[in-house]
Amino acid sequence: MATRSRFFRPFLYTSLAATTSGTALYISYRPRNIPGSDPALVPPPKYGEEGRLEPPRFPLVKSREEQIADLKGSSGASNTIGEKAKGIWGNLTGGGGAQEEKNVEEAEPYDLLIIGGGATGTGIALDAATRGLKVAMVERDDFASGTSSKSTKLVHGGVRYLEKAVWELDYNQYKLVREALRERKYFLDTAPHLSMWLPIMIPIQKWWQAPYFWAGTKFYDLLAGSEGIESSYFLTKTRAMDAFPMLRKDNLFGALVYYDGAHNDSRMNVSLAMTAALYGSTIVNHIEVTGLEKDVNGKVNGARVKDLVQERDGNKPQDFSIRAKGVINATGPFTDSIRKMDDEQVNEIVAPSSGVHVILPGYYSPSKMGLIDPSTSDGRVIFFLPWQGNTIAGTTDAPTNITQNPIAGEEEINWILSEIRGYLAPDINVRRGDVLAAWSGIRPLVKDPHSKNTESLVRNHLITVSDSGLLTCAGGKWTTYRQMAEESVDEAIRRYKLQPGPVLQVPRISGTEMMDDSAPLDGTCQTHQVRLIGAHGFSKTLFINLIQHFGIETVVAKHLCESYGDRAWTVAALSSPTEQRFPVRGFKLSQLYPFVDGEVRYAVRHEYAQTAVDVLARRTRLAFLNAQAALEALPKVIDLMAEELGWDQRRREREWTDTVHFLASMGLAKSKLGVSRRDVENGKAGEYDEHERKLYSRHDQPADVIESDSTFLSGEKPVLKTESLVNK
């Protein structure tokens, strides 16, 4: 018996070790489904027998005018000229009052009115619409005009939150990471054209940091579970330098690489809004809420609004009412301004924090590898990531005042550059002049109004309802927008006693009868399965079809597919012929970037763009990538939008002034704020005085000409004419 035990015990231990090791290896290296790598759900159109290809035809959203008419209809306001004429005649004959009362009685209010068109507001609109509710959403500026376009561009669970959760034994932090990792997977599945997986490197300076960071990243992988993608891995010093050649070699022991998501934030926001509109929501930007309306019991039942586009056109905007059974405040940093419309004495809950980011040329980082510095000089975390062909670095975190277009301060910019110098090779000269754009986003951290400690901040998001019934959703982050929206709609259904139901007329967002969305729209939350506009026909090879059919440049075709998904067919079709052999279509707005004229037309016709800033900042990302390039592209954008929207000369001039002022918040040099259109068209926009040249110039002064190649005599100045007094 003892002999048998001696034989089986080592065998048992060996088998157990082999099984454990095999399981660990399988979990680490098992095949995984990478979002966006599958073939398109709707295959691209094929060439027919005659060799002709018919591009897909997609459903259209209502025009902005039709959407505004629907808003007015909720309160019984006159929508058409004929109805207004009847009202005037009724007043003259004494029956106008009765007609107006009849209109109000027959008007059907919205189930929900959402104030705010950022990630949270548009997410709520889509969630509610796909539950069969009647929804309206209004935004004072443009979709993603605030915090939602000024993020770090990451879709992440938060490795630093996980570290805090472990060291501080904070279950709420742990819960936040778990929730964010789950939402990250939904995010990438529903919009694969706008998001991607990104490996992020953690440099290791000391040998003992290797097991510490290895354990942390493996725990991060473990929490992600099936929502994860590739497993984290260790790189030796040599392999780390090969993957990220810009790294400083001094004291570099190695590196750990983990995976997170990245995305195009404002394009994602616009896609949420347009998808909600296709599902029946009334979505209108540039509509300002001037006040909340209440019923006889003091309960909020709507809002007074005005159309700011009329004001931009030189007309006096008329206030009108929107009636709704419930009102949701999703205005981010401006949350308290809406809450004070409800109750002037209410305590503020938003603690605004400024996050500054800078954009550097693409040569500062590899095109497919990011970097995180977990231990900066003051203990903050800084990201260094490839984005849209450039490099984004940030962010800071400091208390700030709430303004519509905050400006990044030189102190914050220099702090980021100083930190970058600390981990890049010393032969790389990190200069202020390499900053192509810099902006400040306001993160709306929130305090729980029901907490005894009024200074304590909520780590996640907060949903609260006032005595009058105003529902407020604030806080959170981009990655968890969908979860925030789901919880907000759940609370609204309960508070306002709404009746969700199945969506009977599901829009064919894919543009074909071949594919219906897989989400069963039965009245429950299905936004984790509802694909956004552009996702159905997207694949990694779609750009080849565009090149072959439209004759556009490869870099432009890839950009269009990654920004619009299958709607790239429409954008390419709206691009002008070049009358050249190649490319056949598409005039670039800036020669430095792949944005083309068709995007401006598409933004106006299909995405409710109303101003040049809407196009330069949120539909394309040129203002965020390069403020100077955006200024130089501005004349083209204004001319294209003027053709589409019928702007007169006064409106064109206002667009110029307003856009240049906005570009100041993107890092445009102060001396350019008074630049005229003629100056830009004559090439004078790139001129700087000596002080600003040191700040903004991307290159040194021209080097001296080699003596053997010089056509000037010794002592002459190459930049001055020979007859100048300097040369005499």
Side-chain angles (χ1 to χ4, degrees):
M1 193 71 178
T3 304
R4 186 178 301 176
S5 177
R6 284 197 302 270
F7 174 77
F8 280 110
R9 190 173 297 167
F11 177 76
L12 180 63
Y13 291 159
T14 303
S15 301
L16 183 62
T19 302
T20 303
S21 301
T23 302
L25 285 171
Y26 175 77
I27 292 174
S28 298
Y29 298 103
R30 69 188 185 278
R32 311 206 189 186
N33 182 28
I34 301 175
S37 63
D38 293 331
L41 293 171
V42 177
K46 299 184 181 299
Y47 287 89
E49 295 180 359
E50 300 179 358
R52 297 187 61 183
L53 181 145
E54 186 69 24
R57 297 181 179 274
F58 301 107
L60 302 177
V61 295
K62 290 183 178 181
S63 69
R64 186 172 186 274
E65 291 72 22
E66 291 173 321
Q67 298 277 40
I68 291 176
D70 288 345
L71 291 178
K72 293 179 178 179
S74 70
S75 61
S78 299
N79 294 328
T80 65
I81 295 175
E83 289 173 351
K84 290 179 180 179
K86 289 180 182 178
I88 294 171
W89 175 253
N91 288 332
L92 292 174
T93 59
Q99 178 65 38
E100 187 173 337
E101 288 179 7
K102 182 180 178 182
N103 289 340
V104 173
E105 289 176 0
E106 293 178 352
E108 182 182 353
Y110 287 98
D111 290 318
L112 290 174
L113 168 62
I114 301 151
I115 305 172
T120 306
T122 53
I124 293 172
L126 178 60
D127 189 301
T130 53
R131 298 201 207 188
L133 299 176
K134 185 179 180 182
V135 184
M137 191 218 76
V138 295
E139 161 61 42
R140 177 181 62 181
D141 196 336
D142 185 30
F143 313 121
S145 59
T147 307
S148 297
S149 62
K150 299 175 180 178
S151 70
T152 311
K153 323 304 177 191
L154 284 177
V155 186
H156 63 133
V159 287
R160 66 184 186 274
Y161 298 138
L162 181 59
E163 184 180 29
K164 288 182 180 179
V166 172
W167 284 110
E168 298 175 10
L169 299 178
D170 189 334
Y171 178 74
N172 288 328
Q173 290 276 15
Y174 170 81
K175 185 179 177 183
L176 173 62
V177 174
R178 284 296 303 269
E179 176 185 296
L181 288 171
R182 182 186 69 247
E183 293 301 317
R184 182 184 68 176
K185 182 65 162 54
Y186 295 153
F187 201 113
L188 296 164
D189 283 339
T190 57
H193 56 301
L194 295 171
S195 51
M196 65 176 184
W197 289 99
L198 179 69
I200 300 177
M201 179 181 291
I202 307 174
I204 297 174
Q205 278 79 35
K206 306 293 183 181
W207 69 266
W208 55 265
Q209 292 178 323
Y212 177 78
F213 287 128
W214 182 88
T217 55
K218 287 302 177 184
F219 190 23
Y220 196 62
D221 295 341
L222 180 64
L223 288 182
S226 61
E227 280 81 34
I229 183 64
E230 297 290 344
S231 295
S232 56
Y233 55 90
F234 175 77
L235 291 176
T236 62
K237 178 178 179 178
T238 303
R239 292 186 62 193
M241 292 302 304
D242 184 56
F244 209 117
M246 305 82 177
L247 272 181
R248 179 185 289 270
K249 296 180 181 179
D250 305 345
N251 300 323
L252 182 66
F253 177 78
L256 270 158
V257 178
Y258 73 98
Y259 285 80
D260 250 327
H263 75 135
N264 188 337
D265 51 8
S266 73
R267 291 272 348 138
M268 180 75 178
N269 203 152
V270 172
S271 296
L272 282 167
M274 294 303 102
T275 307
L278 283 175
Y279 275 99
S281 297
T282 304
I283 305 290
V284 191
N285 55 350
H286 298 285
I287 292 280
E288 182 179 14
V289 172
T290 59
L292 299 178
E293 295 193 336
K294 299 181 180 181
D295 61 18
V296 294
N297 297 317
K299 298 295 184 182
V300 174
N301 68 348
R304 295 288 297 174
V305 301
K306 66 178 180 180
D307 183 5
L308 297 182
V309 172
Q310 291 184 353
E311 191 173 67
R312 299 182 73 87
D313 287 333
N315 303 317
K316 184 178 180 181
Q318 298 294 323
D319 282 16
F320 62 91
S321 295
I322 305 173
R323 288 181 59 215
K325 298 173 185 176
V327 178
I328 297 180
N329 173 17
T331 52
F334 304 97
T335 293
D336 287 323
S337 63
I338 300 298
R339 294 176 71 241
K340 288 186 177 181
M341 288 182 184
D342 176 39
D343 179 2
E344 293 182 356
Q345 305 302 318
V346 71
N347 292 326
E348 295 185 354
I349 62 172
V350 172
S353 175
S354 170
V356 171
H357 295 82
V358 301
I359 290 288
L360 298 165
Y363 55 70
Y364 270 89
S365 67
S367 61
K368 298 294 183 181
M369 176 74 76
L371 185 143
I372 179 175
D373 182 1
S375 55
T376 59
S377 59
D378 61 358
R380 287 181 284 186
V381 171
I382 191 169
F383 286 96
F384 194 68
L385 312 166
W387 183 67
Q388 300 284 305
N390 284 354
T391 301
I392 183 173
T395 178
T396 61
D397 185 8
T400 187
N401 295 320
I402 297 175
T403 56
Q404 193 159 357
N405 291 310
I407 296 177
E410 283 298 320
E411 183 179 350
E412 291 90 345
I413 293 173
N414 289 327
W415 178 82
I416 293 173
L417 296 179
S418 175
E419 295 300 322
I420 291 172
R421 293 186 189 101
Y423 54 77
L424 292 188
D427 58 339
I428 297 178
N429 185 16
V430 181
R431 306 172 300 181
R432 175 62 177 83
D434 285 337
V435 176
L436 305 178
W439 70 85
S440 173
I442 300 177
R443 184 185 178 194
L445 303 175
V446 291
K447 299 173 286 189
D448 189 345
H450 304 297
S451 173
K452 293 181 180 180
N453 181 6
T454 58
E455 297 301 319
S456 60
L457 298 178
V458 177
R459 297 188 185 277
N460 199 344
H461 57 274
L462 174 71
I463 297 174
T464 182
V465 182
S466 70
D467 293 338
S468 64
L470 175 67
L471 191 153
T472 295
C473 180
K477 59 180 184 176
W478 238 119
T479 308
T480 58
Y481 86 90
R482 195 209 64 84
Q483 180 69 25
M484 294 165 64
E486 179 180 351
E487 293 178 13
S488 296
V489 176
D490 287 344
E491 181 66 16
I493 290 172
R494 187 178 70 84
R495 289 276 181 168
Y496 306 134
K497 297 180 173 56
L498 304 178
Q499 299 295 322
V503 178
L504 301 178
Q505 295 182 343
V506 180
R508 296 288 179 179
I509 296 181
S510 65
T512 174
E513 296 292 328
M514 294 172 56
M515 174 64 197
D516 195 358
D517 215 317
S518 60
L521 304 181
D522 56 2
T524 61
C525 178
Q526 295 294 324
T527 47
H528 61 291
Q529 300 185 81
V530 173
R531 295 179 181 86
L532 300 189
I533 185 171
H536 297 79
F538 170 75
S539 72
K540 296 285 188 180
T541 58
L542 177 61
F543 75 96
I544 299 174
N545 302 108
L546 295 183
I547 297 170
Q548 293 176 334
H549 184 66
F550 292 105
I552 56 180
E553 288 185 66
T554 300
V555 65
V556 172
K558 287 183 175 181
H559 153 68
L560 294 183
C561 292
E562 291 169 359
S563 297
Y564 301 90
D566 57 24
R567 264 49 175 189
W569 288 99
T570 305
V571 180
L574 290 173
S575 300
S576 300
T578 63
E579 306 301 332
Q580 298 176 1
R581 185 164 181 262
F582 194 84
V584 178
R585 284 182 179 270
F587 286 101
K588 287 185 177 179
L589 302 180
S590 167
Q591 291 305 311
L592 301 173
Y593 297 94
F595 307 114
V596 292
D597 59 331
E599 295 182 72
V600 182
R601 298 187 182 95
Y602 183 84
V604 173
R605 298 182 190 182
H606 302 285
E607 293 182 339
Y608 299 147
Q610 297 295 309
T611 70
V613 173
D614 292 352
V615 170
L616 286 170
R618 271 89 62 175
R619 304 312 186 281
T620 70
R621 306 312 309 272
L622 187 54
F624 280 82
L625 291 169
N626 192 320
Q628 179 73 24
L631 176 67
E632 293 166 0
L634 183 53
K636 297 178 186 176
V637 172
I638 289 178
D639 289 346
L640 287 167
M641 296 189 75
E643 291 176 8
E644 294 290 321
L645 297 169
W647 289 345
D648 58 18
Q649 185 59 33
R650 190 205 63 81
R651 176 65 191 273
R652 290 175 185 237
E653 291 173 357
R654 173 163 183 175
E655 286 299 316
W656 180 270
T657 303
D658 289 352
T659 306
V660 173
H661 183 265
F662 169 80
L663 290 176
S665 69
M666 292 287 107
L668 187 68
K670 291 181 180 179
S671 64
K672 306 302 177 191
L673 300 185
V675 71
S676 68
R677 173 169 178 157
R678 179 172 296 181
D679 290 336
V680 171
E681 292 175 333
N682 291 337
K684 295 182 180 180
E687 297 178 357
Y688 296 99
D689 59 32
E690 182 61 21
H691 172 69
E692 287 196 336
R693 188 192 68 76
K694 294 179 180 178
L695 282 179
Y696 298 105
S697 179
R698 291 185 59 191
H699 53 77
D700 300 325
Q701 291 279 40
D704 292 338
V705 179
I706 299 175
E707 185 176 354
S708 61
D709 295 336
S710 176
T711 58
F712 292 88
L713 298 176
S714 178
E716 289 185 353
K717 301 291 185 181
V719 294
L720 296 175
K721 294 182 179 180
T722 306
E723 62 270 20
S724 172
L725 293 175
V726 177
N727 289 322
K728 294 182 180 179

